[in-house]
Amino acid sequence: MAVNQLKAGAILSYVSIGLNNIVGLIYTPFMLRMLGQNEYGLYSLVASVVAYLTVLDLGFANAIVRYTAKFRAEGKINEQYEMFGMFFLLYCGIGIVAFLIGLGLYFNVDNLFDVTMTDSDLGKIRIMMLLMVFNVAFTFPMSIWGAIITAYENFVFQKIINIARILLNPLVMIVLLCMGYKAIAMVVVITIFNIATLCINAWYCKYKIGIKVRFARFKFDFFREVAIYSFWIFLNAIMDRIYWSTGQFVLGIFAGAAAVAVYAIAIQLQHIYLSFSTAISGLFLPKVTKMVTQENDEKAISDLFIRTGRIQYIIMAFILTGFILFGKSFITLWAGEGYEDAYTIALLFFVPLTVPLIQNLGITILQARNQMKFRSILYVIIAFCSLGISIPLSQLYGGIGCAIGTSAALVAGQIIAMNIYYYKKIHIDIPLFWKSIAKMSISPLCIGLVGWWILQNIAIHQVLPLIISIAIFSTVYITLFWFTSMNNYERSLFASPLQKVYHKYKYVGK
């Protein structure tokens, strides 16, 4: 059953990603034009500021998944239920702290943004911030249920709920935008859907999985072990926030709402790009934890790292090559005039980000082995260095300056340092990994160079020519990559679902 859940979860992950991207392609241009660049910039600014409160999770959500999987592998049911009670109480306390910090931000909006914002803008920021702070505070104690569902590998339910949310949220927002509501309405809708999702998760855990929460004597020894494990994930969360939220905050102070809006579009594209990789690796923590707990076979783990990285690279190389060739035309047609710099900013993210994205199973391995210390400390140091670089660069070059600082940090930390660490300390065969990836990269490189040369003489300013160009590129790319870059296992992995569908409909036709 777990294997079926894993496969179905991976498939539904990509279904949800596909739907999310399709909905984004349709909904985002409409939303940008209905809101306007300034209003969208205000929304993005508040979202990035409040996102800092999510680091108060302190890495406990991941700890719930890891220790639940561990206790299940060891057959310790009672310990699970007592752990859930401990985490629920901890999250209640964290939710209160988050709300109090959020109130502090609410009462200091003028001090932070009065130089670049009007009085009307500041008023909207206050309302959105208060709503988002409440959302975050409520999420903390209720987030335990989603982590439990992941630990029990019930991926299908989670993905179905996520798909429903992807479809319903923009439908409701389109109606409200047509009625004249703006950014504040977006925050209200997001809050309502979030509360509903969390409550559904709680119901599922109680009545479908049969989870119990027991409030027993607080076990300080166990909490100390969990806290040490979670601390390094917490530092990693701080790094993520500095990487992906600080730019908008800095631009809000020094450049205004319009610059924030352009940067936010690039961040949105970065999230989409990232999701194509994490959809697979995010499902492997329970599996890898069992491998570490029961077998600890380093060669098997290394082989899984390389095999998963190759599969992720098949997808990421296709998206990256296509974006390099058509991204600028796409952004102009999709987001509209005034967002052209988002292409350069997004590329500064995409190119260095590709390496850690095809290696993100390494994070799962570190979490399963409780070896997050080095990575977390390294990333936090580099993230703060990135912030130090981004502030003066944002004053000189706006959003592109912020992106340069982030890109430099990605290269130094997530590419150079971590590959050395994976090889020397975790004993993953990194030379074999890169030898394998290098062979796969010949086709994307050749197609990219030829495509770039062709597009130098062709200007794409309309949707239909863009669609035709992407279709031609995709046909050539997939055909060449299939025969020259993929091995038999990978070809069978992608062909098997199509063959099953074909044989099913062939049988039904008879």
Side-chain angles (χ1 to χ4, degrees):
M1 182 64 182
V3 174
N4 292 334
Q5 283 280 334
L6 186 63
K7 290 182 178 179
I11 293 170
L12 287 174
S13 290
Y14 280 107
V15 170
S16 64
I17 289 170
L19 282 174
N20 200 34
N21 294 341
I22 292 170
V23 168
L25 287 172
I26 299 171
Y27 168 66
T28 300
F30 174 81
M31 179 263 292
L32 289 175
R33 287 159 178 78
M34 294 296 288
L35 285 180
Q37 195 173 54
N38 187 75
E39 193 89 2
Y40 179 68
L42 295 177
Y43 166 78
S44 301
L45 174 61
V46 175
S48 68
V49 173
V50 175
Y52 281 100
L53 295 178
T54 61
V55 303
L56 292 174
D57 172 83
L58 304 177
F60 287 150
N62 204 283
I64 294 172
V65 176
R66 194 248 183 190
Y67 281 94
T68 300
K70 182 175 182 292
F71 285 150
R72 289 187 71 202
E74 297 170 346
K76 297 179 179 179
I77 303 299
N78 189 60
E79 285 81 354
Q80 285 184 58
Y81 297 159
E82 291 181 354
M83 178 184 69
F84 298 153
M86 179 187 76
F87 276 118
F88 184 79
L89 293 176
L90 285 171
Y91 271 134
C92 286
I94 291 172
I96 294 171
V97 172
F99 188 74
L100 293 176
I101 294 175
L103 287 180
L105 292 171
Y106 170 81
F107 288 114
N108 284 278
V109 166
D110 289 359
N111 296 328
L112 291 171
F113 305 114
D114 63 340
V115 175
T116 58
M117 305 292 176
T118 65
D119 290 340
S120 175
D121 290 342
L122 293 173
K124 294 174 182 176
I125 289 174
R126 289 191 198 93
I127 296 173
M128 288 189 287
M129 187 167 290
L130 195 60
L131 287 168
M132 286 189 182
V133 165
F134 167 77
N135 193 348
V136 171
F138 181 81
T139 297
F140 275 120
M142 296 295 288
S143 64
I144 183 176
W145 309 115
I148 292 171
I149 294 172
T150 299
Y152 272 74
E153 300 181 82
N154 286 17
F155 303 120
V156 172
F157 172 78
Q158 278 188 317
K159 300 307 176 183
I160 290 174
I161 293 297
N162 186 50
I163 288 170
R165 186 171 177 174
I166 289 170
L167 294 173
L168 290 175
N169 185 70
L171 289 176
V172 174
M173 273 311 308
I174 287 171
V175 173
L176 293 176
L177 288 170
C178 289
M179 294 172 65
Y181 293 98
K182 299 288 186 178
I184 294 174
M186 289 181 63
V187 179
V188 172
V189 171
I190 289 170
T191 301
I192 292 173
F193 274 103
N194 186 58
I195 292 173
T197 301
L198 293 169
C199 291
I200 290 171
N201 285 344
W203 171 85
Y204 186 85
C205 283
K206 184 175 181 180
Y207 294 103
K208 294 298 180 179
I209 303 180
I211 293 299
K212 297 178 182 178
V213 177
R214 293 176 181 167
F215 300 101
R217 180 179 59 85
F218 198 88
K219 297 180 179 179
F220 286 98
D221 290 340
F222 174 67
F223 176 71
R224 189 180 301 111
E225 178 185 346
V226 171
I228 293 171
Y229 168 82
S230 301
F231 177 72
W232 308 116
I233 299 174
F234 164 61
L235 289 184
N236 186 68
I238 292 177
M239 176 275 298
D240 281 336
R241 291 276 67 83
I242 294 173
Y243 272 158
W244 308 120
S245 294
T246 302
Q248 295 170 78
F249 180 71
V250 170
L251 290 171
I253 295 174
F254 296 111
V260 174
V262 174
Y263 197 85
I265 288 295
I267 291 291
Q268 183 178 348
L269 294 172
Q270 174 266 329
H271 286 324
I272 294 173
Y273 188 64
L274 184 146
S275 67
F276 277 95
S277 175
T278 56
I280 291 180
S281 64
L283 303 174
F284 276 97
L285 181 56
K287 178 183 177 72
V288 174
T289 299
K290 290 177 183 178
M291 291 176 68
V292 171
T293 302
Q294 298 175 345
E295 303 170 20
N296 200 23
D297 186 338
E298 289 185 343
K299 186 180 185 306
I301 293 173
S302 181
D303 290 343
L304 180 64
F305 178 91
I306 295 171
R307 186 166 67 250
T308 305
R310 283 181 58 92
I311 294 170
Q312 290 170 321
Y313 186 69
I314 292 170
I315 298 165
M316 306 313 295
F318 172 65
I319 298 170
L320 178 61
T321 306
F323 186 81
I324 290 173
L325 296 177
F326 304 108
K328 194 166 189 177
S329 298
F330 166 75
I331 289 174
T332 302
L333 292 169
W334 177 63
E337 298 294 331
Y339 289 94
E340 293 81 4
D341 282 351
Y343 171 72
T344 305
I345 295 171
L347 269 186
L348 285 167
F349 295 152
F350 282 18
V351 175
L353 192 59
T354 301
V355 174
L357 286 183
I358 64 174
Q359 294 184 334
N360 55 21
L361 188 70
I363 303 173
T364 307
I365 294 170
L366 294 178
Q367 291 169 352
R369 288 182 168 180
N370 200 4
Q371 291 179 313
M372 289 288 290
K373 180 177 180 179
F374 172 79
R375 181 182 185 276
S376 299
I377 293 175
L378 171 70
Y379 279 24
V380 169
I381 292 172
I382 293 176
F384 278 107
C385 292
S386 169
L387 175 59
I389 297 170
S390 296
I391 291 174
L393 287 178
S394 67
Q395 293 174 293
L396 293 172
Y397 306 110
I400 293 176
C402 278
I404 291 172
T406 301
S407 181
L410 288 170
V411 172
Q414 298 197 30
I415 297 178
I416 298 174
M418 283 310 301
N419 272 263
I420 295 173
Y421 186 77
Y422 286 146
Y423 181 57
K424 295 291 187 181
K425 297 295 183 180
I426 310 302
H427 306 299
I428 294 172
D429 196 342
I430 293 298
L432 180 61
F433 174 87
W434 281 116
K435 182 180 178 180
S436 182
I437 295 298
K439 290 180 180 179
M440 297 178 74
S441 301
I442 296 173
S443 293
L445 182 60
C446 293
I447 295 171
L449 290 173
V450 172
W452 183 264
W453 177 77
I454 293 173
L455 289 172
Q456 296 307 298
N457 302 310
I458 301 175
I460 302 176
H461 300 299
Q462 295 179 336
V463 175
L464 184 58
L466 178 62
I467 293 174
I468 294 172
S469 300
I470 293 174
I472 294 171
F473 158 78
S474 299
T475 302
V476 174
Y477 182 99
I478 292 171
T479 303
L480 189 59
F481 196 91
W482 181 274
F483 290 106
T484 63
S485 298
M486 295 171 67
N487 59 36
N488 290 331
Y489 167 76
E490 290 154 0
R491 282 192 285 266
S492 65
L493 187 68
F494 282 89
S496 179
L498 297 177
Q499 290 173 346
K500 288 180 180 178
V501 172
Y502 171 75
H503 289 303
K504 179 180 179 181
Y505 280 98
K506 184 178 179 181
Y507 175 79
V508 171
K510 292 181 178 180

